[in-house]
PDB file of all heavy atoms in Angstrom:
ATOM      1  N   VAL A  42      -3.707   7.167   0.204  1.00 94.00           N
ATOM      2  CA  VAL A  42      -4.359   5.828   0.465  1.00 94.00           C
ATOM      3  C   VAL A  42      -3.698   5.246   1.817  1.00 94.00           C
ATOM      4  O   VAL A  42      -4.400   4.735   2.650  1.00 94.00           O
ATOM      5  CB  VAL A  42      -4.170   4.864  -0.609  1.00 94.00           C
ATOM      6  CG1 VAL A  42      -4.606   3.465  -0.249  1.00 94.00           C
ATOM      7  CG2 VAL A  42      -5.021   5.293  -1.883  1.00 94.00           C
ATOM      8  N   MET A  43      -2.436   5.388   1.964  1.00 95.00           N
ATOM      9  CA  MET A  43      -1.690   4.852   3.171  1.00 95.00           C
ATOM     10  C   MET A  43      -2.234   5.649   4.348  1.00 95.00           C
ATOM     11  O   MET A  43      -2.507   5.008   5.457  1.00 95.00           O
ATOM     12  CB  MET A  43      -0.239   5.055   3.061  1.00 95.00           C
ATOM     13  CG  MET A  43       0.498   4.063   2.105  1.00 95.00           C
ATOM     14  SD  MET A  43       2.213   4.295   2.092  1.00 95.00           S
ATOM     15  CE  MET A  43       2.694   3.288   0.864  1.00 95.00           C
ATOM     16  N   ARG A  44      -2.350   6.914   4.288  1.00 95.00           N
ATOM     17  CA  ARG A  44      -2.901   7.721   5.457  1.00 95.00           C
ATOM     18  C   ARG A  44      -4.278   7.273   5.762  1.00 95.00           C
ATOM     19  O   ARG A  44      -4.587   7.050   6.975  1.00 95.00           O
ATOM     20  CB  ARG A  44      -2.841   9.214   5.192  1.00 95.00           C
ATOM     21  CG  ARG A  44      -1.425   9.738   5.257  1.00 95.00           C
ATOM     22  CD  ARG A  44      -1.462  11.337   5.230  1.00 95.00           C
ATOM     23  NE  ARG A  44      -2.004  11.821   4.020  1.00 95.00           N
ATOM     24  CZ  ARG A  44      -1.363  12.121   2.937  1.00 95.00           C
ATOM     25  NH1 ARG A  44       0.021  11.829   2.918  1.00 95.00           N
ATOM     26  NH2 ARG A  44      -1.798  12.528   1.810  1.00 95.00           N
ATOM     27  N   GLY A  45      -5.074   7.156   4.784  1.00 94.00           N
ATOM     28  CA  GLY A  45      -6.513   6.707   4.994  1.00 94.00           C
ATOM     29  C   GLY A  45      -6.628   5.303   5.616  1.00 94.00           C
ATOM     30  O   GLY A  45      -7.467   4.973   6.435  1.00 94.00           O
ATOM     31  N   ALA A  46      -5.744   4.364   5.131  1.00 93.00           N
ATOM     32  CA  ALA A  46      -5.827   3.021   5.603  1.00 93.00           C
ATOM     33  C   ALA A  46      -4.976   2.787   6.872  1.00 93.00           C
ATOM     34  O   ALA A  46      -4.930   1.718   7.430  1.00 93.00           O
ATOM     35  CB  ALA A  46      -5.241   2.110   4.528  1.00 93.00           C
ATOM     36  N   ARG A  47      -4.229   3.803   7.271  1.00 94.00           N
ATOM     37  CA  ARG A  47      -3.417   3.830   8.429  1.00 94.00           C
ATOM     38  C   ARG A  47      -2.435   2.636   8.412  1.00 94.00           C
ATOM     39  O   ARG A  47      -2.347   1.785   9.282  1.00 94.00           O
ATOM     40  CB  ARG A  47      -4.213   3.735   9.765  1.00 94.00           C
ATOM     41  CG  ARG A  47      -5.064   4.988  10.004  1.00 94.00           C
ATOM     42  CD  ARG A  47      -5.778   4.989  11.210  1.00 94.00           C
ATOM     43  NE  ARG A  47      -6.512   6.190  11.259  1.00 94.00           N
ATOM     44  CZ  ARG A  47      -7.401   6.437  12.267  1.00 94.00           C
ATOM     45  NH1 ARG A  47      -7.566   5.495  13.131  1.00 94.00           N
ATOM     46  NH2 ARG A  47      -8.027   7.529  12.186  1.00 94.00           N
ATOM     47  N   THR A  48      -1.750   2.623   7.226  1.00 95.00           N
ATOM     48  CA  THR A  48      -0.722   1.524   7.029  1.00 95.00           C
ATOM     49  C   THR A  48       0.551   2.119   6.539  1.00 95.00           C
ATOM     50  O   THR A  48       0.647   3.324   6.140  1.00 95.00           O
ATOM     51  CB  THR A  48      -1.289   0.546   6.003  1.00 95.00           C
ATOM     52  OG1 THR A  48      -0.370  -0.586   5.896  1.00 95.00           O
ATOM     53  CG2 THR A  48      -1.402   1.153   4.645  1.00 95.00           C
ATOM     54  N   GLU A  49       1.639   1.516   6.604  1.00 95.00           N
ATOM     55  CA  GLU A  49       2.915   1.883   6.222  1.00 95.00           C
ATOM     56  C   GLU A  49       3.419   1.299   4.904  1.00 95.00           C
ATOM     57  O   GLU A  49       4.545   1.583   4.451  1.00 95.00           O
ATOM     58  CB  GLU A  49       3.919   1.459   7.286  1.00 95.00           C
ATOM     59  CG  GLU A  49       3.798   2.065   8.675  1.00 95.00           C
ATOM     60  CD  GLU A  49       4.213   3.556   8.662  1.00 95.00           C
ATOM     61  OE1 GLU A  49       5.170   3.933   8.050  1.00 95.00           O
ATOM     62  OE2 GLU A  49       3.521   4.404   9.211  1.00 95.00           O
ATOM     63  N   ARG A  50       2.611   0.431   4.294  1.00 95.00           N
ATOM     64  CA  ARG A  50       2.843  -0.106   3.035  1.00 95.00           C
ATOM     65  C   ARG A  50       1.687  -0.452   2.206  1.00 95.00           C
ATOM     66  O   ARG A  50       0.534  -0.692   2.849  1.00 95.00           O
ATOM     67  CB  ARG A  50       3.705  -1.377   3.244  1.00 95.00           C
ATOM     68  CG  ARG A  50       2.997  -2.442   3.952  1.00 95.00           C
ATOM     69  CD  ARG A  50       3.951  -3.644   4.209  1.00 95.00           C
ATOM     70  NE  ARG A  50       3.149  -4.674   4.728  1.00 95.00           N
ATOM     71  CZ  ARG A  50       3.615  -5.527   5.766  1.00 95.00           C
ATOM     72  NH1 ARG A  50       4.892  -5.372   6.186  1.00 95.00           N
ATOM     73  NH2 ARG A  50       2.848  -6.439   6.290  1.00 95.00           N
ATOM     74  N   LEU A  51       1.832  -0.594   0.912  1.00 94.00           N
ATOM     75  CA  LEU A  51       0.794  -1.035   0.026  1.00 94.00           C
ATOM     76  C   LEU A  51       1.292  -2.128  -0.993  1.00 94.00           C
ATOM     77  O   LEU A  51       2.423  -1.997  -1.436  1.00 94.00           O
ATOM     78  CB  LEU A  51       0.336   0.165  -0.863  1.00 94.00           C
ATOM     79  CG  LEU A  51      -0.414   1.337  -0.171  1.00 94.00           C
ATOM     80  CD1 LEU A  51      -0.623   2.468  -1.130  1.00 94.00           C
ATOM     81  CD2 LEU A  51      -1.727   0.855   0.357  1.00 94.00           C
ATOM     82  N   ILE A  52       0.504  -3.079  -1.248  1.00 94.00           N
ATOM     83  CA  ILE A  52       0.778  -4.016  -2.294  1.00 94.00           C
ATOM     84  C   ILE A  52       0.545  -3.279  -3.566  1.00 94.00           C
ATOM     85  O   ILE A  52      -0.541  -2.692  -3.828  1.00 94.00           O
ATOM     86  CB  ILE A  52      -0.063  -5.331  -2.158  1.00 94.00           C
ATOM     87  CG1 ILE A  52       0.316  -5.960  -0.826  1.00 94.00           C
ATOM     88  CG2 ILE A  52       0.098  -6.141  -3.414  1.00 94.00           C
ATOM     89  CD1 ILE A  52      -0.626  -7.119  -0.502  1.00 94.00           C
ATOM     90  N   VAL A  53       1.459  -3.353  -4.606  1.00 94.00           N
ATOM     91  CA  VAL A  53       1.291  -2.740  -5.871  1.00 94.00           C
ATOM     92  C   VAL A  53       0.785  -3.782  -6.884  1.00 94.00           C
ATOM     93  O   VAL A  53       1.386  -4.940  -6.957  1.00 94.00           O
ATOM     94  CB  VAL A  53       2.559  -2.041  -6.404  1.00 94.00           C
ATOM     95  CG1 VAL A  53       2.385  -1.392  -7.774  1.00 94.00           C
ATOM     96  CG2 VAL A  53       3.079  -1.061  -5.357  1.00 94.00           C
ATOM     97  N   ARG A  54      -0.290  -3.461  -7.600  1.00 93.00           N
ATOM     98  CA  ARG A  54      -0.825  -4.480  -8.568  1.00 93.00           C
ATOM     99  C   ARG A  54      -0.913  -3.811  -9.952  1.00 93.00           C
ATOM    100  O   ARG A  54      -1.095  -2.547 -10.136  1.00 93.00           O
ATOM    101  CB  ARG A  54      -2.303  -4.780  -8.147  1.00 93.00           C
ATOM    102  CG  ARG A  54      -2.364  -5.509  -6.745  1.00 93.00           C
ATOM    103  CD  ARG A  54      -3.661  -6.084  -6.546  1.00 93.00           C
ATOM    104  NE  ARG A  54      -3.681  -6.763  -5.264  1.00 93.00           N
ATOM    105  CZ  ARG A  54      -3.218  -8.014  -4.972  1.00 93.00           C
ATOM    106  NH1 ARG A  54      -2.728  -8.718  -6.015  1.00 93.00           N
ATOM    107  NH2 ARG A  54      -3.293  -8.505  -3.845  1.00 93.00           N
ATOM    108  N   ASP A  55      -0.731  -4.658 -10.950  1.00 92.00           N
ATOM    109  CA  ASP A  55      -0.785  -4.164 -12.372  1.00 92.00           C
ATOM    110  C   ASP A  55      -2.312  -4.102 -12.761  1.00 92.00           C
ATOM    111  O   ASP A  55      -3.129  -4.337 -12.029  1.00 92.00           O
ATOM    112  CB  ASP A  55       0.053  -5.029 -13.279  1.00 92.00           C
ATOM    113  CG  ASP A  55      -0.479  -6.513 -13.436  1.00 92.00           C
ATOM    114  OD1 ASP A  55      -1.572  -6.796 -13.011  1.00 92.00           O
ATOM    115  OD2 ASP A  55       0.335  -7.284 -14.012  1.00 92.00           O
ATOM    116  N   ALA A  56      -2.439  -3.701 -14.071  1.00 91.00           N
ATOM    117  CA  ALA A  56      -3.853  -3.578 -14.567  1.00 91.00           C
ATOM    118  C   ALA A  56      -4.693  -4.914 -14.520  1.00 91.00           C
ATOM    119  O   ALA A  56      -5.896  -4.841 -14.467  1.00 91.00           O
ATOM    120  CB  ALA A  56      -3.764  -3.075 -16.014  1.00 91.00           C
ATOM    121  N   ASP A  57      -3.930  -6.027 -14.463  1.00 92.00           N
ATOM    122  CA  ASP A  57      -4.633  -7.301 -14.418  1.00 92.00           C
ATOM    123  C   ASP A  57      -4.900  -7.760 -12.976  1.00 92.00           C
ATOM    124  O   ASP A  57      -5.362  -8.864 -12.739  1.00 92.00           O
ATOM    125  CB  ASP A  57      -3.862  -8.442 -15.181  1.00 92.00           C
ATOM    126  CG  ASP A  57      -3.777  -8.029 -16.649  1.00 92.00           C
ATOM    127  OD1 ASP A  57      -4.724  -7.566 -17.229  1.00 92.00           O
ATOM    128  OD2 ASP A  57      -2.675  -8.337 -17.308  1.00 92.00           O
ATOM    129  N   GLY A  58      -4.475  -6.957 -12.026  1.00 90.00           N
ATOM    130  CA  GLY A  58      -4.634  -7.341 -10.698  1.00 90.00           C
ATOM    131  C   GLY A  58      -3.549  -8.210 -10.036  1.00 90.00           C
ATOM    132  O   GLY A  58      -3.670  -8.596  -8.895  1.00 90.00           O
ATOM    133  N   ARG A  59      -2.522  -8.466 -10.827  1.00 92.00           N
ATOM    134  CA  ARG A  59      -1.397  -9.253 -10.275  1.00 92.00           C
ATOM    135  C   ARG A  59      -0.489  -8.423  -9.503  1.00 92.00           C
ATOM    136  O   ARG A  59      -0.213  -7.281  -9.796  1.00 92.00           O
ATOM    137  CB  ARG A  59      -0.602  -9.911 -11.515  1.00 92.00           C
ATOM    138  CG  ARG A  59      -1.371 -10.967 -12.175  1.00 92.00           C
ATOM    139  CD  ARG A  59      -0.476 -11.538 -13.276  1.00 92.00           C
ATOM    140  NE  ARG A  59      -0.172 -10.510 -14.302  1.00 92.00           N
ATOM    141  CZ  ARG A  59      -0.483 -10.688 -15.593  1.00 92.00           C
ATOM    142  NH1 ARG A  59      -0.997 -11.702 -16.032  1.00 92.00           N
ATOM    143  NH2 ARG A  59      -0.152  -9.646 -16.348  1.00 92.00           N
ATOM    144  N   ARG A  60      -0.040  -9.039  -8.371  1.00 92.00           N
ATOM    145  CA  ARG A  60       0.893  -8.296  -7.509  1.00 92.00           C
ATOM    146  C   ARG A  60       2.254  -8.107  -8.264  1.00 92.00           C
ATOM    147  O   ARG A  60       2.813  -9.020  -8.799  1.00 92.00           O
ATOM    148  CB  ARG A  60       1.220  -9.187  -6.271  1.00 92.00           C
ATOM    149  CG  ARG A  60       2.106  -8.445  -5.323  1.00 92.00           C
ATOM    150  CD  ARG A  60       2.422  -9.366  -4.161  1.00 92.00           C
ATOM    151  NE  ARG A  60       3.564  -8.789  -3.370  1.00 92.00           N
ATOM    152  CZ  ARG A  60       3.631  -8.818  -2.104  1.00 92.00           C
ATOM    153  NH1 ARG A  60       2.704  -9.482  -1.322  1.00 92.00           N
ATOM    154  NH2 ARG A  60       4.681  -8.272  -1.512  1.00 92.00           N
ATOM    155  N   THR A  61       2.746  -6.837  -8.252  1.00 91.00           N
ATOM    156  CA  THR A  61       3.952  -6.534  -8.932  1.00 91.00           C
ATOM    157  C   THR A  61       5.060  -6.027  -7.904  1.00 91.00           C
ATOM    158  O   THR A  61       6.155  -5.861  -8.322  1.00 91.00           O
ATOM    159  CB  THR A  61       3.774  -5.495  -9.994  1.00 91.00           C
ATOM    160  OG1 THR A  61       3.294  -4.319  -9.388  1.00 91.00           O
ATOM    161  CG2 THR A  61       2.886  -6.040 -11.086  1.00 91.00           C
ATOM    162  N   GLY A  62       4.649  -5.815  -6.670  1.00 91.00           N
ATOM    163  CA  GLY A  62       5.641  -5.281  -5.728  1.00 91.00           C
ATOM    164  C   GLY A  62       4.919  -4.797  -4.453  1.00 91.00           C
ATOM    165  O   GLY A  62       3.745  -4.997  -4.273  1.00 91.00           O
ATOM    166  N   LEU A  63       5.755  -4.175  -3.629  1.00 92.00           N
ATOM    167  CA  LEU A  63       5.326  -3.579  -2.396  1.00 92.00           C
ATOM    168  C   LEU A  63       6.017  -2.257  -2.239  1.00 92.00           C
ATOM    169  O   LEU A  63       7.201  -2.169  -2.516  1.00 92.00           O
ATOM    170  CB  LEU A  63       5.815  -4.545  -1.286  1.00 92.00           C
ATOM    171  CG  LEU A  63       5.255  -4.190   0.137  1.00 92.00           C
ATOM    172  CD1 LEU A  63       3.806  -4.502   0.315  1.00 92.00           C
ATOM    173  CD2 LEU A  63       6.085  -4.943   1.093  1.00 92.00           C
ATOM    174  N   VAL A  64       5.275  -1.290  -1.852  1.00 94.00           N
ATOM    175  CA  VAL A  64       5.857   0.029  -1.663  1.00 94.00           C
ATOM    176  C   VAL A  64       5.583   0.500  -0.224  1.00 94.00           C
ATOM    177  O   VAL A  64       4.467   0.255   0.333  1.00 94.00           O
ATOM    178  CB  VAL A  64       5.314   1.063  -2.693  1.00 94.00           C
ATOM    179  CG1 VAL A  64       3.829   1.341  -2.506  1.00 94.00           C
ATOM    180  CG2 VAL A  64       6.036   2.294  -2.668  1.00 94.00           C
ATOM    181  N   THR A  65       6.551   1.129   0.349  1.00 94.00           N
ATOM    182  CA  THR A  65       6.370   1.531   1.742  1.00 94.00           C
ATOM    183  C   THR A  65       6.343   3.037   1.804  1.00 94.00           C
ATOM    184  O   THR A  65       6.838   3.784   0.949  1.00 94.00           O
ATOM    185  CB  THR A  65       7.606   1.093   2.670  1.00 94.00           C
ATOM    186  OG1 THR A  65       8.817   1.762   2.196  1.00 94.00           O
ATOM    187  CG2 THR A  65       7.801  -0.416   2.537  1.00 94.00           C
ATOM    188  N   LEU A  66       5.756   3.522   2.954  1.00 95.00           N
ATOM    189  CA  LEU A  66       5.694   5.030   3.104  1.00 95.00           C
ATOM    190  C   LEU A  66       7.089   5.596   3.148  1.00 95.00           C
ATOM    191  O   LEU A  66       7.297   6.669   2.630  1.00 95.00           O
ATOM    192  CB  LEU A  66       4.928   5.266   4.444  1.00 95.00           C
ATOM    193  CG  LEU A  66       4.706   6.679   4.700  1.00 95.00           C
ATOM    194  CD1 LEU A  66       3.833   7.445   3.628  1.00 95.00           C
ATOM    195  CD2 LEU A  66       3.909   6.856   6.017  1.00 95.00           C
ATOM    196  N   ALA A  67       8.046   4.942   3.790  1.00 95.00           N
ATOM    197  CA  ALA A  67       9.410   5.410   3.848  1.00 95.00           C
ATOM    198  C   ALA A  67      10.012   5.558   2.451  1.00 95.00           C
ATOM    199  O   ALA A  67      10.648   6.533   2.233  1.00 95.00           O
ATOM    200  CB  ALA A  67      10.216   4.482   4.690  1.00 95.00           C
ATOM    201  N   GLN A  68       9.679   4.622   1.547  1.00 94.00           N
ATOM    202  CA  GLN A  68      10.244   4.823   0.165  1.00 94.00           C
ATOM    203  C   GLN A  68       9.649   6.015  -0.495  1.00 94.00           C
ATOM    204  O   GLN A  68      10.351   6.680  -1.189  1.00 94.00           O
ATOM    205  CB  GLN A  68       9.844   3.501  -0.607  1.00 94.00           C
ATOM    206  CG  GLN A  68      10.617   2.237  -0.290  1.00 94.00           C
ATOM    207  CD  GLN A  68      10.096   1.088  -1.058  1.00 94.00           C
ATOM    208  OE1 GLN A  68       8.936   0.786  -1.058  1.00 94.00           O
ATOM    209  NE2 GLN A  68      10.904   0.368  -1.741  1.00 94.00           N
ATOM    210  N   LEU A  69       8.312   6.154  -0.321  1.00 95.00           N
ATOM    211  CA  LEU A  69       7.666   7.286  -1.040  1.00 95.00           C
ATOM    212  C   LEU A  69       8.141   8.618  -0.481  1.00 95.00           C
ATOM    213  O   LEU A  69       8.385   9.557  -1.244  1.00 95.00           O
ATOM    214  CB  LEU A  69       6.172   7.178  -0.918  1.00 95.00           C
ATOM    215  CG  LEU A  69       5.619   5.915  -1.607  1.00 95.00           C
ATOM    216  CD1 LEU A  69       4.047   5.948  -1.442  1.00 95.00           C
ATOM    217  CD2 LEU A  69       5.994   5.862  -3.066  1.00 95.00           C
ATOM    218  N   ILE A  70       8.274   8.718   0.806  1.00 94.00           N
ATOM    219  CA  ILE A  70       8.842   9.974   1.436  1.00 94.00           C
ATOM    220  C   ILE A  70      10.308  10.186   0.958  1.00 94.00           C
ATOM    221  O   ILE A  70      10.590  11.368   0.599  1.00 94.00           O
ATOM    222  CB  ILE A  70       8.716   9.849   2.954  1.00 94.00           C
ATOM    223  CG1 ILE A  70       7.317   9.850   3.403  1.00 94.00           C
ATOM    224  CG2 ILE A  70       9.551  11.019   3.669  1.00 94.00           C
ATOM    225  CD1 ILE A  70       7.115   9.640   4.887  1.00 94.00           C
ATOM    226  N   GLY A  71      11.038   9.176   0.910  1.00 93.00           N
ATOM    227  CA  GLY A  71      12.421   9.301   0.404  1.00 93.00           C
ATOM    228  C   GLY A  71      12.405   9.749  -1.032  1.00 93.00           C
ATOM    229  O   GLY A  71      13.244  10.708  -1.399  1.00 93.00           O
ATOM    230  N   PHE A  72      11.597   9.162  -1.837  1.00 93.00           N
ATOM    231  CA  PHE A  72      11.602   9.582  -3.244  1.00 93.00           C
ATOM    232  C   PHE A  72      11.097  10.990  -3.391  1.00 93.00           C
ATOM    233  O   PHE A  72      11.629  11.724  -4.306  1.00 93.00           O
ATOM    234  CB  PHE A  72      10.615   8.612  -4.062  1.00 93.00           C
ATOM    235  CG  PHE A  72      10.563   8.973  -5.562  1.00 93.00           C
ATOM    236  CD1 PHE A  72      11.640   8.774  -6.318  1.00 93.00           C
ATOM    237  CD2 PHE A  72       9.402   9.529  -5.991  1.00 93.00           C
ATOM    238  CE1 PHE A  72      11.523   9.234  -7.688  1.00 93.00           C
ATOM    239  CE2 PHE A  72       9.318   9.925  -7.308  1.00 93.00           C
ATOM    240  CZ  PHE A  72      10.362   9.772  -8.178  1.00 93.00           C
ATOM    241  N   ARG A  73      10.134  11.450  -2.625  1.00 93.00           N
ATOM    242  CA  ARG A  73       9.700  12.853  -2.729  1.00 93.00           C
ATOM    243  C   ARG A  73      10.828  13.845  -2.484  1.00 93.00           C
ATOM    244  O   ARG A  73      10.711  14.937  -2.979  1.00 93.00           O
ATOM    245  CB  ARG A  73       8.561  13.074  -1.757  1.00 93.00           C
ATOM    246  CG  ARG A  73       7.205  12.568  -2.318  1.00 93.00           C
ATOM    247  CD  ARG A  73       6.051  13.024  -1.512  1.00 93.00           C
ATOM    248  NE  ARG A  73       6.215  13.970  -0.496  1.00 93.00           N
ATOM    249  CZ  ARG A  73       5.313  14.409   0.255  1.00 93.00           C
ATOM    250  NH1 ARG A  73       3.995  13.954   0.142  1.00 93.00           N
ATOM    251  NH2 ARG A  73       5.484  15.329   1.112  1.00 93.00           N
ATOM    252  N   ALA A  74      11.822  13.397  -1.817  1.00 93.00           N
ATOM    253  CA  ALA A  74      12.964  14.353  -1.465  1.00 93.00           C
ATOM    254  C   ALA A  74      13.988  14.359  -2.627  1.00 93.00           C
ATOM    255  O   ALA A  74      14.901  15.127  -2.471  1.00 93.00           O
ATOM    256  CB  ALA A  74      13.564  13.960  -0.176  1.00 93.00           C
ATOM    257  N   THR A  75      13.827  13.635  -3.586  1.00 92.00           N
ATOM    258  CA  THR A  75      14.771  13.582  -4.709  1.00 92.00           C
ATOM    259  C   THR A  75      14.454  14.541  -5.823  1.00 92.00           C
ATOM    260  O   THR A  75      13.317  14.937  -6.009  1.00 92.00           O
ATOM    261  CB  THR A  75      14.913  12.176  -5.344  1.00 92.00           C
ATOM    262  OG1 THR A  75      13.718  11.806  -6.014  1.00 92.00           O
ATOM    263  CG2 THR A  75      15.185  11.147  -4.314  1.00 92.00           C
ATOM    264  N   PRO A  76      15.368  14.929  -6.675  1.00 92.00           N
ATOM    265  CA  PRO A  76      15.141  15.823  -7.776  1.00 92.00           C
ATOM    266  C   PRO A  76      14.325  15.154  -8.860  1.00 92.00           C
ATOM    267  O   PRO A  76      13.680  15.841  -9.748  1.00 92.00           O
ATOM    268  CB  PRO A  76      16.497  16.207  -8.357  1.00 92.00           C
ATOM    269  CG  PRO A  76      17.438  15.574  -7.456  1.00 92.00           C
ATOM    270  CD  PRO A  76      16.823  14.675  -6.440  1.00 92.00           C
ATOM    271  N   ASP A  77      14.202  13.801  -8.820  1.00 90.00           N
ATOM    272  CA  ASP A  77      13.369  13.098  -9.844  1.00 90.00           C
ATOM    273  C   ASP A  77      11.893  13.185  -9.571  1.00 90.00           C
ATOM    274  O   ASP A  77      11.054  12.898 -10.486  1.00 90.00           O
ATOM    275  CB  ASP A  77      13.753  11.690  -9.888  1.00 90.00           C
ATOM    276  CG  ASP A  77      15.151  11.439 -10.373  1.00 90.00           C
ATOM    277  OD1 ASP A  77      15.661  12.242 -11.199  1.00 90.00           O
ATOM    278  OD2 ASP A  77      15.775  10.441  -9.890  1.00 90.00           O
ATOM    279  N   TYR A  78      11.518  13.633  -8.360  1.00 92.00           N
ATOM    280  CA  TYR A  78      10.068  13.659  -8.029  1.00 92.00           C
ATOM    281  C   TYR A  78       9.300  14.720  -8.747  1.00 92.00           C
ATOM    282  O   TYR A  78       9.744  15.908  -8.869  1.00 92.00           O
ATOM    283  CB  TYR A  78       9.918  13.856  -6.519  1.00 92.00           C
ATOM    284  CG  TYR A  78       8.510  14.078  -6.120  1.00 92.00           C
ATOM    285  CD1 TYR A  78       7.603  12.983  -6.085  1.00 92.00           C
ATOM    286  CD2 TYR A  78       8.031  15.347  -5.857  1.00 92.00           C
ATOM    287  CE1 TYR A  78       6.352  13.159  -5.721  1.00 92.00           C
ATOM    288  CE2 TYR A  78       6.689  15.488  -5.554  1.00 92.00           C
ATOM    289  CZ  TYR A  78       5.841  14.460  -5.469  1.00 92.00           C
ATOM    290  OH  TYR A  78       4.457  14.665  -5.213  1.00 92.00           O
ATOM    291  N   THR A  79       8.128  14.389  -9.263  1.00 92.00           N
ATOM    292  CA  THR A  79       7.157  15.295  -9.743  1.00 92.00           C
ATOM    293  C   THR A  79       5.812  14.749  -9.185  1.00 92.00           C
ATOM    294  O   THR A  79       5.748  13.505  -8.836  1.00 92.00           O
ATOM    295  CB  THR A  79       7.049  15.480 -11.251  1.00 92.00           C
ATOM    296  OG1 THR A  79       6.490  14.313 -11.844  1.00 92.00           O
ATOM    297  CG2 THR A  79       8.434  15.845 -11.822  1.00 92.00           C
ATOM    298  N   ASP A  80       4.784  15.545  -9.242  1.00 91.00           N
ATOM    299  CA  ASP A  80       3.472  15.073  -8.783  1.00 91.00           C
ATOM    300  C   ASP A  80       2.789  14.160  -9.845  1.00 91.00           C
ATOM    301  O   ASP A  80       1.727  13.620  -9.511  1.00 91.00           O
ATOM    302  CB  ASP A  80       2.594  16.200  -8.358  1.00 91.00           C
ATOM    303  CG  ASP A  80       2.192  17.100  -9.519  1.00 91.00           C
ATOM    304  OD1 ASP A  80       2.775  16.980 -10.633  1.00 91.00           O
ATOM    305  OD2 ASP A  80       1.356  17.974  -9.358  1.00 91.00           O
TER     306      ASP A  80
END
Side-chain angles (χ1 to χ4, degrees):
V42 169
M43 285 183 191
R44 283 191 297 272
R47 295 182 181 175
T48 187
E49 297 284 321
R50 65 183 183 219
L51 293 173
I52 295 170
V53 180
R54 299 193 180 275
D55 65 12
D57 295 326
R59 289 183 296 237
R60 180 183 169 146
T61 60
L63 184 75
V64 67
T65 66
L66 184 58
Q68 286 174 310
L69 298 181
I70 290 171
F72 178 72
R73 278 187 15 177
T75 69
D77 295 331
Y78 172 76
T79 71
D80 61 354

